[in-house]
Amino acid sequence: MLKKLLAYVRGYTWSSILTPLTVMGEVILEVFIPLYMSKIIDVGIPNADLPYVLRTGGLMVLMALGALLFGVLGARLAVYSSNGAAKNLRLALFDRIESLSFKNTDKFSTATLVTRLTNDITNVQQSYQMMIRLLARSPLMLILATIFAVRISPELSVIILCAIPLLGGAMALITKLAFPRFEAMLKKYDAMNARTQETLIAIRVVKAFVRGDYETVRFNESAAALKNAQKRAEKLFIIASPLMQISMYACIIGVIWLGGGHVLDGNLQSGSLISFITYISQILMSLMMITMAFVNFVLSSASAERICEVLDETPAINDDGAAPALTVDNGGIQFDDVCFSYADDPGNLTLSHINLSIRSGELIGILGGSGSGKTSLVQLIPRLYDVLSGSVRVAGHDVREYPVETLRESIGMVLQKNVLFSGTILDNLRWGKPDATQEEIEAACRAAAAHDFIMGFPDGYQTVLGQGGVNVSGGQKQRLCIARALLRQPKILILDDSTSAVDTATDAAIRHALRTELPDATKLIIAQRVTSIMDADRIIVMHEGAIDAVGTHETLLASNKIYQEVYHSQQKGVA
């Protein structure tokens, strides 16, 4: 896992190498300062040698300034390296998420993916910064300070040498016990983010039903659960600080007690004793810094596992076995004994033994109740999901033979949930064709009955849309999404209940434009209203994941019970 994540340091390798080198310079200078301080106390002051005191003091000031310079440079390089590595990692993780199929992303919630892109990578970033700085500084300080302390007094050094392994073992035990608790804490972060996301997306519903207080209570429950998980994870490390403080003061007391006797006996000079106490402080502070780094490392290890879980996810849909040169020549579609299950379970089929042939250029209506498999059927055409058995063929070739990008570029799809992005109307439309001219864009918008309302805005096509298109109506949003799909001039156009929010006259105008503007494209329209598909070349009636009937409006009205019930119930509603 560490090797995998270190690969994202590329571009920041030299700064990552220079950071511990500058830290080494800082540590070496800091370790020598107590040594020169003892010389002033033991040599300069007893001999009243002011020039010696000034020279040695000046050297100490220079070493302190040098240590400060190295420290600032090391901190700057550490921040630069960790931020750069985090940027690379975020880009790689986002790219991996973009490459995953619907089947893969169904495993992860949106909230947890956002947490992994933000909070988890921040944890790893902080850990890396500590690793190249603190874990270079503290062990070196520990080693050098211990060497200097032993040189001053091997007998007194026994005190600290006994404390080091005891403290190290205690920290290792605490770290081991804390890891699963940090994992649980991160899951609580996911739950809270999911609660927040759901509430914000549905904020209009929340306000319409005056459920703000209810949602506040639910969010408070999520926040409280996270707080409790954090307390449980971090209370183990609360022990670390007092343990370190007790050890430090116990060691200092022991050194002063025993060392004071050595000074009185003349076996140790007072300056050396003061230097020895300084080295003890450096040793124990180094241990404390190592402990802090391990705390951060434990937290980041849990985060790193979650990041690697996404990075290691293999896209269920890829170009393995595809012919790179193969292109979609027409919009003919063939379903050959297709079975499909979201769970990949033959005993839990969403679509069962679908056999269907659609000629290029046909306008096909698809009708059926909720859960009948309408959307699942059309999602197999652009390989948003793959079949469990059988095959889906486009232009005579199995869809798995096409490169995914080539296949999807030939298909225009307006999903059940209309999605617009922050930016201008023009920016959103150019998702369909990035290099589209203004004339092409306006033609597509006229076909989708969108041009007139766009020109009704003061800024026309430069009108800025809020996130998700919140400043346009549902019908306007649908028409913009249809125009975006038409701009691709696709071989196959799929409209998944995409005119439900427009009036019948506009619906009819859009269907007429589809026939005239895209005469050669195959058009599949999923609809709940019979009037939206009654003029289709053929209508597919679906029921419980299977095709119940295929025919024209007239033949189905005369022979199919499901179609008759839907038609008569809607006509009764009109009457």
Side-chain angles (χ1 to χ4, degrees):
M1 182 173 67
L2 182 62
K3 183 179 179 181
K4 180 187 293 292
L5 294 180
L6 284 176
Y8 298 100
V9 180
R10 62 185 180 279
Y12 303 90
T13 306
W14 279 110
S15 57
S16 295
I17 294 171
L18 287 173
T19 299
L21 293 178
T22 57
V23 168
M24 287 172 63
E26 178 189 13
V27 169
I28 290 170
L29 290 173
E30 284 186 5
V31 168
F32 274 98
I33 289 175
L35 181 65
Y36 284 92
M37 179 182 67
S38 68
K39 291 181 181 297
I40 290 176
I41 296 171
D42 294 336
V43 178
I45 294 175
N47 297 327
D49 189 345
L50 183 60
Y52 180 84
V53 171
L54 292 176
R55 284 198 309 273
T56 307
L59 185 59
M60 288 174 64
V61 170
L62 289 176
M63 286 190 290
L65 290 174
L68 176 64
L69 178 63
F70 278 124
V72 170
L73 184 59
R76 183 179 178 84
L77 288 170
V79 169
Y80 175 76
S81 302
S82 61
N83 286 350
K87 180 210 69 173
N88 288 342
L89 186 55
R90 278 197 177 92
L91 181 61
L93 188 60
F94 186 80
D95 186 59
R96 172 58 67 182
I97 292 170
E98 288 289 295
S99 73
L100 297 177
S101 68
F102 283 12
K103 180 180 177 181
N104 296 113
T105 54
D106 288 345
K107 290 174 56 178
F108 306 98
S109 69
T110 302
T112 189
L113 291 175
V114 170
T115 304
R116 294 175 201 223
L117 272 167
T118 52
N119 188 65
D120 285 334
I121 289 183
T122 299
N123 290 338
V124 172
Q125 173 186 340
Q126 291 173 347
S127 182
Y128 182 67
Q129 184 175 330
M130 279 190 165
M131 183 175 71
I132 61 176
R133 191 161 179 258
L134 275 185
L135 290 186
R137 173 186 171 81
S138 299
L140 182 61
M141 175 70 80
L142 178 65
I143 293 168
L144 292 180
T146 302
I147 291 171
F148 276 77
V150 170
R151 287 186 62 188
I152 292 172
S153 175
E155 293 178 5
L156 295 179
S157 299
V158 173
I159 297 173
I160 192 65
L161 291 176
C162 290
I164 290 174
L166 291 174
L167 288 172
M171 292 305 104
L173 179 61
I174 291 171
T175 300
K176 182 179 179 180
L177 294 174
F179 182 79
R181 298 188 182 191
F182 276 113
E183 281 189 315
M185 182 190 76
L186 292 171
K187 290 179 181 177
K188 296 299 181 184
Y189 266 115
D190 290 343
M192 188 183 72
N193 286 345
R195 176 81 265 135
T196 305
Q197 181 189 34
E198 185 178 48
T199 302
L200 293 178
I201 289 174
I203 192 64
R204 286 171 172 77
V205 178
V206 173
K207 290 185 178 296
F209 283 86
V210 197
R211 298 288 280 174
D213 292 342
Y214 172 75
E215 288 300 324
T216 299
V217 170
R218 294 183 70 187
F219 180 81
N220 185 54
E221 290 172 354
S222 298
L226 173 60
K227 181 197 74 171
N228 293 332
Q230 286 175 322
K231 283 173 61 178
R232 188 169 182 272
E234 293 174 6
K235 69 181 181 181
L236 284 172
F237 287 104
I238 293 173
I239 304 169
S241 182
L243 188 63
M244 282 293 178
Q245 294 291 338
I246 290 171
S247 300
M248 179 183 292
Y249 293 132
C251 288
I252 290 174
I253 290 170
V255 167
I256 292 174
W257 178 266
L258 296 175
H262 289 316
V263 171
L264 292 174
D265 294 339
N267 296 324
L268 186 68
Q269 293 180 305
S270 57
S272 297
L273 178 60
I274 294 172
S275 295
F276 191 89
I277 293 172
T278 304
Y279 285 128
I280 286 178
S281 298
Q282 289 181 340
I283 290 167
L284 292 173
M285 284 301 298
S286 297
L287 281 172
M288 191 173 291
M289 292 300 103
I290 291 171
T291 301
M292 287 178 58
F294 269 110
V295 171
N296 193 272
F297 184 73
V298 170
L299 177 58
S300 66
S301 293
S303 292
E305 281 194 358
R306 287 155 51 86
I307 293 167
C308 288
E309 186 182 3
V310 180
L311 290 174
D312 292 339
E313 184 74 12
T314 303
I317 293 175
N318 51 53
D319 289 338
D320 292 349
L326 192 62
T327 58
V328 180
D329 298 326
N330 61 73
I333 306 168
Q334 183 83 30
F335 288 80
D336 295 325
D337 196 31
V338 168
C339 292
F340 169 70
S341 168
Y342 287 104
D344 284 340
D345 181 5
N348 182 25
L349 293 177
T350 303
L351 296 173
S352 178
H353 301 288
I354 302 294
N355 288 284
L356 178 66
S357 181
I358 300 172
R359 295 183 297 276
S360 182
E362 274 194 294
L363 194 158
I364 301 294
I366 304 176
L367 186 75
S370 297
S372 60
K374 305 183 299 297
T375 297
S376 300
L377 180 76
V378 298
Q379 285 182 338
L380 298 178
I381 299 170
R383 284 194 76 195
L384 299 182
Y385 292 93
D386 268 339
V387 299
L388 182 63
S389 63
S391 66
V392 179
R393 305 174 74 81
V394 169
H397 295 277
D398 192 310
V399 291
R400 290 166 289 197
E401 296 177 21
Y402 293 102
V404 174
E405 190 172 323
T406 300
L407 176 67
R408 292 178 183 170
E409 282 181 345
S410 67
I411 298 172
M413 194 166 187
V414 183
L415 300 171
Q416 210 167 15
K417 182 180 179 181
N418 299 286
V419 177
L420 295 173
F421 298 89
S422 302
T424 65
I425 289 176
L426 195 64
D427 292 336
N428 274 273
L429 292 170
R430 282 193 167 135
W431 272 65
K433 186 180 179 183
D435 59 348
T437 64
Q438 186 66 30
E439 291 74 19
E440 290 174 321
I441 290 169
E442 291 185 10
C445 289
R446 286 192 177 92
H451 178 73
D452 290 341
F453 83 74
I454 292 173
M455 297 308 296
F457 294 129
D459 295 324
Y461 283 86
Q462 294 300 328
T463 299
V464 176
L465 299 176
Q467 187 177 21
V470 294
N471 51 338
V472 293
S473 70
Q476 290 171 336
K477 191 184 294 185
Q478 284 187 334
R479 283 177 276 172
L480 288 173
C481 291
I482 292 171
R484 182 172 62 189
L486 292 177
L487 204 55
R488 302 190 79 155
Q489 290 292 306
K491 297 288 194 302
I492 299 170
L493 177 65
I494 300 170
L495 303 182
D496 188 354
D497 201 16
S498 304
T499 57
S500 57
V502 302
D503 58 81
T504 53
T506 303
D507 188 8
I510 292 172
R511 294 199 311 275
H512 175 74
L514 293 181
R515 286 191 180 276
T516 56
E517 298 294 327
L518 296 172
D520 299 325
T522 303
K523 297 161 281 287
L524 291 86
I525 302 176
I526 296 175
Q528 299 294 337
R529 295 187 304 212
V530 171
T531 53
S532 297
I533 56 173
M534 60 190 301
D535 61 345
D537 297 321
R538 285 185 296 161
I539 299 169
I540 301 167
V541 179
M542 298 199 66
H543 180 64
E544 295 183 352
I547 294 177
D548 190 75
V550 179
T552 63
H553 168 70
E554 291 76 14
T555 57
L556 292 173
L557 191 58
S559 61
N560 185 259
K561 185 177 179 180
I562 295 175
Y563 193 82
Q564 290 168 353
E565 289 177 354
V566 174
Y567 177 77
H568 290 305
S569 66
Q570 292 180 3
Q571 289 302 106
K572 192 180 296 182
V574 172

